[in-house]
Amino acid sequence: MSSDDYSIRVNGLGKCYEIYETPRDRLKQFIIPPLQRLTGCQPSSYCREYWALQDISFEIRKGESFGIVGRNGSGKSTLLQLITGTIAPTVGTVETRGRVAALLELGSGFNPEFTGRDNVYLNAMLLGMTHDEVDERFDKIAAFADIGDHLDQPVKTYSSGMLVRLAFAVQVQIEPDILIVDEALAVGDALFQKRCFGRIEKLLSDGVTLLFVSHDQESVRTLTNRAILLKGGREVSMGSASQVLLDYRKLLHQEESAYFATLMQPTAEKNQTSVAPAPAPAPASGVSASAAESLTSSLSKEQPSGDEAHSAIAGRADQMSFGDGGVEVVSVGTFDREGEPCAVFYPGDVIRIRIDCVSRIDTDCINVGVRIRSREGIKIYSWGTLNQDMQVLAGLREGDLFWKRQIKAGEQFHVWLECDCTLGSNLYEIQASISYEAKPDYSAQRILHWKDEAAFFQTLMRQDEYFFGGISDLHMAARW
């Protein structure tokens, strides 16, 4: 990247806060250490340091879309505030080039006593627009916000959704060079979110740089090219959005395993047995306890905690996989109606997916499933053996329950998933998973093995025979 080719440059950024136990300690810190320095003594400290962000560096090119992901408290909002200049860094530097529009907190910069109309003028002029420019664009702002007569009511009477509507409508009308969006859009209704994402995509096509923060992984995958994952104020990974989101899912899985291990600690101590860092949930009614005990025993041997868990998972499989172990996906393949290997399908064909698995434990309560994503990273469909089991339990279809199948240690088995091809022309990725389901309703799930990019297939059209546009065939018919 050339020296002039960036919109945002962050170098060695860190933010430290001083935490005081009592107001008296704050006063002591203000007075005593300076006096000690004057007398040549070692200054005392009456506070403890909390680093909300530490040693963060990256560059974002002009016109690039960049995502920030991480759990609550990981430092995402602090990083955005440092970039926008609302707080000053303790160490490091931030450089931005161009006009910055930021949507960080609901109604930030709004006066609650003023009407929505007054706040539009106030907020827009604070962002650098003139009164005449606001006059010229006011109708567009009002139309985008779509809050009707409430525009002339005090902002303090607005709901959170109305606040973010008005704030976003103002921000996108100042024609920013850099648009920074935090989780605020999550409070909007579905129609408003659709309008917002459409506007963001229009800005991206116009060369605007986007810095996007969200817990919605599909939004991050769709809107951004690169991303950074934060944990405890530090960088965990940075790279393509798809790779960072995979690392994020691994991190969430790892922390969830540690949480359940903590819950199981008293029980383990009572029984004087070793604690499994990622135990399976208690079995559902009617399910043998031995299955859960077998799974827990296996995981206690195979699944270390903390950073070791991440390394062990990566070592056992590959960088596209994660899970507690015990049962694994060995391979995934796509086949045609006759069972022959096939990677290209047409509307009306039958798609058959074979998932080969191996178990190292005795267990039941297993679900084998897939998720299908388009080339753009959009989730098209997810389904598994448990979905069919739920239909059987509801009396909607007949058959045996895979969920009750007893799987033995060392057993190799496979599952066929079959469907008609109703997908539009595209390249599709199959993600495969095996999960332990304590209850047959997805309410108590533990991922044993998840595999991204397990297989790929393509759909094409025979345009002279059968053609439709979009992502799925609705089998529409015409009448006259």
Side-chain angles (χ1 to χ4, degrees):
M1 182 186 301
S2 67
S3 59
D4 296 327
D5 195 31
Y6 70 90
S7 287
I8 301 173
R9 175 179 288 169
V10 173
N11 184 30
L13 198 62
K15 180 63 179 178
C16 181
Y17 292 96
E18 296 179 343
I19 309 298
Y20 298 92
E21 297 296 333
T22 65
R24 180 181 299 176
D25 290 337
R26 185 183 295 273
L27 181 61
K28 289 179 180 178
Q29 184 69 27
F30 181 73
I31 297 174
I32 297 177
L35 294 177
Q36 290 175 326
R37 292 190 188 94
L38 289 175
T39 59
C41 299
Q42 182 70 24
S44 303
S45 177
Y46 298 92
C47 65
R48 56 186 176 87
E49 294 183 342
Y50 169 69
W51 285 89
L53 209 66
Q54 200 165 4
D55 195 26
I56 303 297
S57 300
F58 58 82
E59 289 186 357
I60 303 176
R61 298 185 299 272
K62 292 179 180 178
E64 184 181 13
S65 53
F66 191 86
I68 303 176
V69 295
R71 296 195 62 195
N72 291 335
S74 61
K76 304 188 302 296
S77 296
T78 301
L79 177 56
L80 294 188
Q81 289 175 319
L82 290 168
I83 291 173
T84 56
T86 56
I87 60 175
T90 304
V91 295
T93 59
V94 177
E95 299 176 61
T96 59
R97 291 185 171 180
R99 176 183 282 181
V100 179
L103 194 65
L104 301 183
E105 297 179 5
L106 294 178
S108 57
F110 282 5
N111 187 321
E113 302 297 331
F114 288 4
T115 66
R117 184 182 301 271
D118 294 334
N119 272 293
V120 166
Y121 280 88
L122 172 64
N123 203 241
M125 294 174 74
L126 287 173
L127 291 169
M129 295 176 66
T130 66
H131 195 282
D132 290 340
E133 287 176 325
V134 184
D135 284 338
E136 182 182 340
R137 304 178 191 182
F138 184 84
D139 288 342
K140 292 182 179 180
I141 295 173
F144 194 97
D146 192 24
I147 58 176
D149 295 337
H150 294 283
L151 194 61
D152 292 307
Q153 299 298 319
V155 164
K156 64 183 180 182
T157 66
Y158 286 15
S159 67
S160 59
M162 293 165 64
L163 270 177
V164 75
R165 281 172 176 264
L166 195 60
F168 188 83
V170 174
Q171 295 284 355
V172 297
Q173 286 298 328
I174 69 170
E175 297 180 355
D177 298 299
I178 302 171
L179 177 62
I180 299 176
V181 181
D182 202 349
E183 285 287 356
L185 294 184
V187 303
D189 56 45
L191 182 59
F192 177 69
Q193 288 186 20
K194 177 179 181 295
R195 191 180 303 166
C196 289
F197 289 131
R199 181 61 179 173
I200 289 173
E201 289 174 351
K202 172 65 166 57
L203 291 171
L204 288 173
S205 67
D206 291 340
V208 173
T209 302
L210 173 67
L211 192 56
F212 185 70
V213 176
S214 178
H215 289 290
D216 184 353
Q217 297 183 34
E218 294 302 323
S219 295
V220 174
R221 189 190 311 277
T222 303
L223 288 176
T224 65
N225 307 118
R226 288 196 303 137
I228 184 173
L229 170 60
L230 300 179
K231 177 186 177 184
R234 290 183 174 272
E235 174 190 329
V236 175
S237 72
M238 182 163 55
S240 67
S242 58
Q243 180 58 50
V244 170
L245 288 174
L246 176 60
D247 292 337
Y248 184 33
R249 296 205 304 276
K250 290 180 180 179
L251 177 65
L252 292 176
H253 174 80
Q254 174 186 324
E255 294 185 356
E256 182 185 38
S257 298
Y259 169 74
F260 278 105
T262 303
L263 295 181
M264 293 293 291
Q265 184 74 34
T267 303
E269 291 177 351
K270 181 178 179 180
N271 296 330
Q272 295 183 348
T273 59
S274 60
V275 180
S285 177
V287 180
S288 63
S290 61
E293 292 172 359
S294 176
L295 179 59
T296 301
S297 174
S298 171
L299 297 179
S300 67
K301 297 175 182 178
E302 298 176 6
Q303 179 72 8
S305 61
D307 294 335
E308 293 177 357
H310 181 86
S311 300
I313 293 170
R316 280 202 313 268
D318 55 61
Q319 294 302 314
M320 305 306 291
S321 300
F322 65 91
D324 290 337
V327 188
E328 291 186 358
V329 174
V330 177
S331 64
V332 178
T334 55
F335 300 81
D336 63 16
R337 189 189 306 266
E338 286 73 33
E340 295 296 324
C342 180
V344 178
F345 298 91
Y346 294 86
D349 289 350
V350 171
I351 301 175
R352 303 185 70 197
I353 302 171
R354 173 170 167 148
I355 306 170
D356 290 284
C357 313
V358 63
S359 179
R360 293 192 298 276
I361 59 174
D362 295 335
T363 187
D364 55 7
C365 307
I366 294 300
N367 171 48
V368 179
V370 295
R371 176 190 288 179
I372 298 176
R373 288 195 333 207
S374 69
R375 176 177 52 199
E376 295 77 20
I378 298 173
K379 182 174 76 171
I380 303 299
Y381 189 69
S382 59
W383 199 85
T385 55
L386 188 62
N387 296 74
Q388 181 166 298
D389 290 340
M390 292 166 68
Q391 289 182 302
V392 174
L393 290 171
L396 300 178
R397 66 185 300 166
E398 296 180 352
D400 297 329
L401 296 180
F402 186 83
W403 185 69
K404 287 187 175 181
R405 175 174 171 175
Q406 299 292 323
I407 297 174
K408 302 298 182 181
E411 180 179 348
Q412 298 183 23
F413 62 96
H414 65 265
V415 172
W416 286 96
L417 304 180
E418 183 176 303
C419 66
D420 292 331
C421 179
T422 60
L423 297 171
S425 295
N426 210 330
L427 175 68
Y428 296 93
E429 172 198 349
I430 298 176
Q431 299 172 321
S433 66
I434 301 177
S435 57
Y436 179 90
E437 307 287 345
K439 300 178 180 179
D441 56 10
Y442 285 108
S443 65
Q445 182 182 79
R446 304 289 292 162
I447 298 296
L448 303 183
H449 191 203
W450 180 288
K451 189 175 182 65
D452 271 16
E453 299 185 2
F456 294 88
F457 67 92
Q458 187 176 9
T459 58
L460 301 175
M461 297 279 184
R462 296 187 178 96
Q463 297 197 17
D464 56 339
E465 298 178 11
Y466 192 89
F467 177 78
F468 64 89
I471 63 174
S472 181
D473 185 5
L474 299 181
H475 298 290
M476 193 167 287
R479 293 183 180 179
W480 57 87

